[in-house]
Amino acid sequence: NTYYNGNVAFKEGNKAQIKGHKDNYLELLPMLINSNKNTNSIGVSGYDRAIEKAQKAIKNHSIKRKPKRPTGKKLSEKQKKFYSQKEFNPFLWKAWFLMANSQFQKGEFTEAASTYIYISRLYENDPAIVARARIGLAQCYAELEWLYEAEDLLQRVQRDTVPELLQKDYAVAKANLLLKQQRDEEAIPHIKAGLKRKGQTPLDKAREHYLLGQLYAGAGNKEEAYKSFGKTI
């Protein structure tokens, strides 16, 4: 229930941020709206409440004590992995990401980075959670202009194989980094892949199609630019 209330508050913060964000369409749009410092101050009350609820859920429901191990027989690899965990509440990783994602949306990139790093250490035996945390951390590094560190992290995620569930999130993070590195044409396929992710509002899709139109126009591909601007309309 605590997590649910926090997640609702997070969504309220997102709605306020999307509604209040103002793009300058005469410039290349940022991949993420909270790259804009003016946007970071929007929806703060929702994100603060989400962080508060996430912290409460972690404090009240964390299970660090290891269950009693069976005696008299050798543990299977699956059992060894289970007993090597540092957190035994199987739901609590969601609360950790709720806190990190809220910090990120507020523009608290250093704080969010610290939380993502802690998550990756706490759940080091779960490759999917580690990959998710590294993608979030790479986003923080990109926003802090630590571009080499962001690129290194995303390369590590790709090397370890991006889980199917996270491929579109990876694509968004990669596109954001490439745009910050001014490798605009290389960002195009990643933006197109990220457009298919869940949770996209029509406004999100419209602005990303506009961004694609800008990139195609910059590359001299007028036909694809025309199509992308048409999808924006």
Side-chain angles (χ1 to χ4, degrees):
N1 189 54
T2 306
Y3 170 81
Y4 172 82
N5 290 332
N7 197 39
V8 168
F10 178 80
K11 290 177 180 178
E12 289 172 352
N14 277 355
K15 286 180 182 178
Q17 213 169 67
I18 291 168
K19 185 177 180 180
H21 174 72
K22 302 295 181 185
D23 275 311
N24 181 353
Y25 294 99
L26 299 179
E27 297 179 355
L28 188 67
L29 300 191
M31 184 69 201
L32 306 176
I33 61 173
N34 68 322
S35 290
N36 185 324
K37 292 182 180 179
N38 293 327
T39 303
N40 291 338
S41 61
I42 303 172
V44 168
S45 61
Y47 295 129
D48 283 341
R49 181 168 171 77
I51 292 169
E52 177 189 339
K53 293 297 181 181
Q55 290 172 334
K56 183 178 179 180
I58 292 165
K59 180 180 178 180
N60 292 342
H61 300 287
S62 177
I63 303 173
K64 295 290 179 64
R65 186 175 180 180
K66 294 180 185 293
K68 188 176 180 180
R69 295 175 57 162
T71 56
K73 67 175 183 178
K74 187 178 180 181
L75 296 179
S76 66
E77 287 303 315
K78 186 177 180 180
Q79 287 175 315
K80 287 179 182 177
K81 186 177 179 181
F82 173 77
Y83 285 106
S84 66
Q85 294 179 106
K86 296 176 182 177
E87 173 58 62
F88 288 89
N89 184 329
F91 186 86
L92 211 62
W93 66 271
K94 294 186 178 182
W96 279 107
F97 277 105
L98 178 62
M99 180 163 68
N101 295 343
S102 297
Q103 291 168 331
F104 180 80
Q105 289 302 128
K106 282 180 64 181
E108 295 177 345
F109 303 123
T110 303
E111 292 84 347
S114 296
T115 306
Y116 286 125
I117 289 170
Y118 185 82
I119 293 170
S120 66
R121 291 173 179 171
L122 183 63
Y123 294 96
E124 61 185 352
N125 292 326
D126 190 320
I129 291 179
V130 170
R132 188 186 296 269
R134 284 177 174 172
I135 290 171
L137 182 58
Q139 294 276 52
C140 293
Y141 286 167
E143 295 306 316
L144 291 166
E145 298 295 332
W146 301 351
L147 303 184
Y148 174 82
E149 290 81 357
E151 185 169 23
D152 180 61
L153 263 176
L154 291 179
Q155 285 176 348
R156 287 162 65 185
V157 173
Q158 188 177 43
R159 182 195 63 206
D160 295 339
T161 306
V162 183
E164 178 69 28
L165 187 65
L166 299 176
Q167 285 185 358
K168 295 177 181 64
D169 293 326
Y170 173 86
V172 172
K174 186 69 174 179
N176 187 46
L177 174 62
L178 290 169
L179 290 175
K180 289 183 182 296
Q181 293 174 322
Q182 298 182 334
R183 295 159 63 185
D184 294 350
E185 286 188 59
E186 293 178 59
I188 290 174
H190 298 286
I191 296 173
K192 291 173 70 176
L195 269 166
K196 300 174 184 178
R197 65 191 184 278
K198 290 183 179 180
Q200 285 277 79
T201 68
L203 184 57
D204 291 329
K205 290 183 179 180
R207 69 180 301 280
E208 288 180 25
H209 279 302
Y210 188 90
L211 172 58
L212 277 173
Q214 290 179 304
L215 296 175
Y216 280 127
N221 190 337
K222 295 182 180 179
E223 183 178 349
E224 288 300 324
Y226 184 85
K227 289 179 183 178
S228 293
F229 290 134
K231 289 179 180 179
T232 297
I233 295 169

